[in-house]
Amino acid sequence: MSGEVERIYGMLVGCAVGDAMGMPAEMWSRQRIRRTFGRITTFLPGPPDNEISAGLSAYETTDDTIVTTIVAQLLIETGGEPDPLDLVHRIEQWAEENPKSRTIIGPSTRRAFDQIAQGVPVAEAGKFGETNGASMRISPVGAISDYQKPEQLASRVARVCLATHNTQSAIAGACAVAAAVSQGIAGGPLAALPEAALAGARAGAKRGYEVCGPSVAARLAFLFELSDRTAADDAFAKQVYELNGCGLPTAESVPAAIAMAYRAGSNLLRCAQLCANLGGDTDTMGAIACAIAGAHGAAAGFDPAIAEKLQRVNGFDFRPLAEGLAKLRA
């Protein structure tokens, strides 16, 4: 595979790695994770007392990776210009056919689906979507975009966010993720990730419905600086959890995820472990962070047998998607 195809493949593998490792602890506190697991270092099944992930097997992903592949396929089929309503219908079709969607589809997406079904215009259906559902699925948009053109990137991201997460906060977070992915696939150094993510967040914040809440860009800047001056991973993770938050809102989990990708650098396993033990929306933060890490080449040093097993268990085939996205990027 060419360099860009390899990094896009790494982005998709990374998404699955972070998602599957974070799945067992989804929406648990840091304290409960420690009481139950000690520390998550590998792929585990969903514990029976987790209302969200109970019944899921080790290596199994959630909607984070599944919807990411749906977006990737739709981008390839439409030349990078998807119909927002078509995306809704595809996610709905998957949700209707898969029983685990009942526990893992996010609240903003469910609400938007209900609104659209009642005849609400697509652009209005997502006016209350402030959670991280747009950011979790946006990495393929980053794969085909140029982070050095943040306004153009933001327009493409906003199109994919429109139906379910048409708010300033959600679009800002999704743009930050897409820009970080794009910068990695372009071969940019990890040290330049903060600049790209911040530019993306600022461009995205100009779009969508206004909402009352924290600035994604401001929180990103704070966490990048905090990472640079905190030596120990656990001390940094504790501060992220307590000071920034790691819950469903975009302004919490997305800056946290991007900060973990920045912190982990080229080590995909470290990135997944940081997110899995962080507390909060661990699977989504893992999917976002590890997609960014994979785009920066972290998957190149990851065990290929595990990457293949993740695809086999979940029925994915990332190589054709990577090749299709690379053609669009070109």
Side-chain angles (χ1 to χ4, degrees), residues 50-64:
N50 188 319
E51 295 179 356
I52 301 173
S53 60
L56 300 185
S57 62
Y59 293 89
E60 194 167 354
T61 63
T62 73
D63 60 325
D64 299 89

Side-chain angles (χ1 to χ4, degrees), residues 157-291:
V157 167
R159 185 180 183 89
V160 174
C161 294
L162 183 69
T164 58
H165 296 79
N166 191 18
T167 62
Q168 290 175 328
S169 176
I171 297 172
C175 283
V177 173
V181 165
S182 175
Q183 186 257 347
I185 291 170
L190 189 74
L193 184 155
E195 182 182 355
L198 286 167
R202 289 167 183 146
K206 300 174 186 177
R207 292 162 170 79
Y209 284 91
E210 291 185 4
V211 290
C212 180
S215 162
V216 171
R219 287 194 165 190
L220 273 171
F222 167 68
L223 293 184
F224 288 139
E225 189 273 334
L226 184 65
S227 180
D228 287 340
R229 61 180 169 85
T230 306
D233 281 351
D234 192 60
F236 175 63
K238 185 174 184 290
Q239 291 180 85
V240 172
Y241 181 81
E242 294 179 350
L243 300 178
N244 178 82
C246 300
L248 286 172
T250 294
E252 290 188 21
S253 48
V254 174
I258 296 173
M260 291 303 159
Y262 174 64
R263 178 125 188 137
S266 60
N267 190 324
L268 186 58
L269 182 61
R270 180 187 176 199
C271 189
Q273 291 171 344
L274 282 171
C275 294
N277 292 283
L278 188 53
D281 199 0
T282 50
D283 63 320
T284 296
M285 289 185 293
I288 292 170
C290 292

Side-chain angles (χ1 to χ4, degrees), residues 8-320:
I8 295 172
Y9 175 76
M11 173 199 79
L12 294 168
V13 168
C15 180
V17 168
D19 184 6
M21 192 172 290
M23 170 271 290
E26 183 177 3
M27 299 314 299
W28 278 8
S29 68
R30 283 175 58 78
Q31 295 77 14
R32 189 173 183 182
I33 292 171
R34 290 196 173 194
R35 288 197 304 269
T36 303
F37 301 107
R39 177 174 172 77
I40 297 172
T41 59
T42 189
F43 300 95
L44 303 171
D49 54 341
N50 188 319
E51 295 179 356
I52 301 173
S53 60
L56 300 185
S57 62
Y59 293 89
E60 194 167 354
T61 63
T62 73
D63 60 325
D64 299 89
T65 310
I66 293 162
V67 178
T68 296
T69 63
I70 290 173
V71 170
Q73 188 61 50
L74 187 58
L75 289 172
I76 293 167
E77 292 175 8
T78 62
E81 299 295 335
D83 181 342
L85 196 55
D86 191 10
L87 176 59
V88 168
H89 291 156
R90 293 194 185 204
I91 298 173
E92 280 185 313
Q93 182 179 357
W94 169 77
E96 289 171 0
E97 296 173 353
N98 197 302
K100 70 181 178 181
S101 69
R102 290 194 297 270
T103 58
I104 59 179
I105 286 284
S108 294
T109 299
R110 285 193 180 278
R111 178 174 183 164
F113 285 0
D114 291 341
Q115 292 274 299
I116 292 169
Q118 294 167 19
V120 174
V122 173
E124 291 183 26
K127 69 187 296 184
F128 300 108
E130 298 179 63
T131 54
N132 54 26
S135 294
M136 78 177 191
R137 67 185 185 226
I138 209 67
S139 57
V141 177
I144 67 170
S145 301
D146 184 352
Y147 74 98
Q148 295 178 313
K149 299 176 181 178
E151 296 298 330
Q152 185 181 87
L153 177 145
S155 293
R156 183 174 276 157
V157 167
R159 185 180 183 89
V160 174
C161 294
L162 183 69
T164 58
H165 296 79
N166 191 18
T167 62
Q168 290 175 328
S169 176
I171 297 172
C175 283
V177 173
V181 165
S182 175
Q183 186 257 347
I185 291 170
L190 189 74
L193 184 155
E195 182 182 355
L198 286 167
R202 289 167 183 146
K206 300 174 186 177
R207 292 162 170 79
Y209 284 91
E210 291 185 4
V211 290
C212 180
S215 162
V216 171
R219 287 194 165 190
L220 273 171
F222 167 68
L223 293 184
F224 288 139
E225 189 273 334
L226 184 65
S227 180
D228 287 340
R229 61 180 169 85
T230 306
D233 281 351
D234 192 60
F236 175 63
K238 185 174 184 290
Q239 291 180 85
V240 172
Y241 181 81
E242 294 179 350
L243 300 178
N244 178 82
C246 300
L248 286 172
T250 294
E252 290 188 21
S253 48
V254 174
I258 296 173
M260 291 303 159
Y262 174 64
R263 178 125 188 137
S266 60
N267 190 324
L268 186 58
L269 182 61
R270 180 187 176 199
C271 189
Q273 291 171 344
L274 282 171
C275 294
N277 292 283
L278 188 53
D281 199 0
T282 50
D283 63 320
T284 296
M285 289 185 293
I288 292 170
C290 292
I292 294 170
H296 280 80
F302 190 71
D303 187 345
I306 296 178
E308 294 300 326
K309 183 170 184 177
L310 280 163
Q311 292 176 77
R312 185 172 66 254
V313 166
N314 294 283
F316 299 136
D317 187 356
F318 292 145
R319 294 186 187 280

